[in-house]
Amino acid sequence: MRALRLHGDRDLRLDEMAPPAPPAPGEVQIRIKAIGLNHIDVWGYRGMAFAKRALPLVVGAEAAGEIVALGEGVSGFAIGQPVVMYGALTCNQCKACREGRDNLCENVAGVLGFHVDGFARDVMNHPARLTIPVPAGISFQAAACAPIAYSTVEHMLFDNAKLEPGETILVQAGGSGIGTVAILMAKAIGCTVITTVGDDEKAEKAKALGADHVINYRKDRFATITRRLTGKKGVDVVFEHVGAETWNDSLLCLKRGGRLVTCGSTSGVSVQMNLMQLFQQQYRIIGSFGAPMAAIRRSLDKIAAGMAPVIDTELPVERFAEGLERLESRKVFGKIIVTF
């Protein structure tokens, strides 16, 4: 079978590998159909010295496929059924796992495509407990956006930031995969959405997606415009994932008692911030990484109900690296999907 493996920094090869053995008890065997690209794939592609991994490594952290075989004792699945997979190898034993807070597992064995072999292969075995059925009517391409992109946003906005109908939210990088999802989810509950983009073409697309106000951060300081749009009060929530470039201005955009939720640091991991501003304005800063499986299920339900993902580009597996380079360039609007 084919497997896309990373042999070194920026060295991806489509290798031939032996197919997997029949699924073990408690496992399902899945034929991979589509992969969603994320910044975690870019980090791995260009080198991640902070993570322990053995090369070559099968890449791909977010995917959808169909069941082709069932291991002993597996119920609730059928041959040919479309599924998505949870990409963290959780222990299912610790307090966090027992409470359904999978992304806080105390004994996680790794993230697929990052620490251990990922989803970019024709066929693979996966624990049935970490496999989620896809509702009818969802394409593999759309389903492949749920395990990371949709669920990350779902968890950030509703589990963590507690976004409520009618609030005002600033979505940073509204043209990104998670940025487009954040716009869709916030507008779906009646929020006023302000978003930032890097060019006028993206601005038009963000408006078409439903954003109420779009700021080209290359032309205008987004903090100034946001304060003006909110009558100098600021927004209730900032959806942050850019990092050092935007951090302090994102804080300036918050109203007193506002919430900033962040899941990324693509522009840099270190910042200096005004602690007096933090406590005097009573900001709430919330870190969010990944999502529990429940957020994936809720995300799939939203896609099934019509909240379709924005697809920037669809590429065959042979052009996986091209997709990563496009994502790295910040030229994308929406998700990049790789198909098998």
Side-chain angles (χ1 to χ4, degrees):
M1 70 169 191
R2 298 173 304 167
L4 190 63
R5 300 199 296 175
L6 187 70
H7 288 258
D9 293 355
R10 299 183 183 272
D11 182 8
L12 274 176
R13 305 177 198 173
L14 193 57
D15 296 333
E16 286 292 328
M17 293 180 63
E27 290 185 337
V28 291
Q29 191 168 92
I30 301 161
R31 184 173 301 281
I32 303 300
K33 294 290 189 176
I35 291 174
L37 298 190
N38 297 276
H39 277 285
I40 193 170
D41 300 295
V42 173
W43 300 336
Y45 176 60
R46 64 190 184 194
M48 48 183 187
F50 58 89
K52 294 181 180 180
R53 60 177 180 170
L55 298 179
L57 177 81
V58 179
V59 298
E62 178 182 46
E66 64 179 3
I67 301 287
V68 293
L70 303 174
E72 182 182 346
V74 172
S75 60
F77 294 98
I79 304 301
Q81 184 176 19
V83 293
V84 295
M85 294 72 73
Y86 195 65
L89 297 176
T90 57
C91 72
N92 203 36
Q93 301 294 325
C94 69
K95 184 175 186 290
C97 283
R98 295 196 308 271
E99 293 175 348
R101 297 179 296 130
D102 315 86
N103 56 322
L104 287 171
C105 174
E106 297 169 12
N107 306 297
V108 65
V111 174
L112 274 74
F114 192 69
H115 306 103
V116 296
D117 282 342
F119 296 114
R121 39 185 156 165
D122 285 320
V123 182
M124 65 175 293
N125 295 335
H126 197 65
R129 67 178 180 86
L130 299 177
T131 303
I132 302 169
V134 172
I138 300 179
S139 68
F140 288 113
Q141 291 90 333
C145 300
I148 292 182
Y150 269 67
S151 67
T152 294
V153 177
E154 175 76 17
H155 185 52
M156 288 175 73
L157 293 185
F158 303 112
D159 295 337
N160 286 328
K162 308 294 185 185
L163 184 69
E164 296 181 359
E167 290 193 311
T168 300
I169 181 172
L170 170 65
V171 175
Q172 291 288 16
S176 64
I178 61 172
T180 55
V181 177
I183 293 170
L184 291 171
M185 288 191 179
K187 287 304 299 179
I189 65 166
C191 292
T192 297
V193 175
I194 304 169
T195 192
T196 63
V197 296
D199 60 55
D200 291 339
E201 182 180 354
K202 287 185 181 181
E204 291 304 313
K205 291 179 179 179
K207 289 176 185 176
L209 203 56
D212 298 281
H213 307 283
V214 184
I215 303 166
N216 184 338
Y217 66 84
R218 298 186 190 279
K219 293 183 177 179
D220 297 296
R221 187 183 176 195
F222 69 81
T224 301
I225 303 299
T226 299
R227 300 291 298 184
R228 184 185 306 155
L229 289 169
T230 57
K232 298 184 179 179
K233 291 182 179 179
V235 299
D236 298 285
V237 172
V238 172
F239 179 90
E240 171 64 66
H241 56 108
V242 177
E245 281 183 9
T246 55
W247 183 262
N248 283 311
D249 273 358
S250 285
L251 289 175
L252 285 174
C253 292
L254 282 175
K255 70 188 301 183
R256 193 177 189 198
R259 296 99 73 195
L260 182 149
V261 61
T262 180
C263 73
S265 55
T266 54
S267 69
V269 300
S270 298
V271 295
Q272 286 186 320
M273 58 183 290
N274 186 328
L275 293 178
M276 186 174 290
Q277 176 194 10
L278 172 65
F279 64 73
Q280 284 187 340
Q281 295 300 315
Q282 301 178 60
Y283 296 152
R284 281 170 282 174
I285 298 176
I286 308 155
S288 190
F289 182 76
M293 289 181 66
I296 299 178
R297 295 188 182 95
R298 298 197 305 266
S299 296
L300 287 167
D301 288 342
K302 288 182 177 181
I303 295 172
M307 191 181 288
V310 178
I311 305 298
D312 173 90
T313 310
E314 187 175 319
L315 298 168
V317 65
E318 293 83 359
R319 296 170 64 188
F320 195 102
E322 180 182 328
L324 292 177
E325 288 160 5
R326 179 169 175 80
L327 185 58
E328 191 176 21
S329 74
R330 298 190 184 184
K331 294 178 180 178
V332 345
F333 191 90
K335 287 285 286 183
I336 298 174
I337 300 295
V338 174
T339 56
F340 275 75

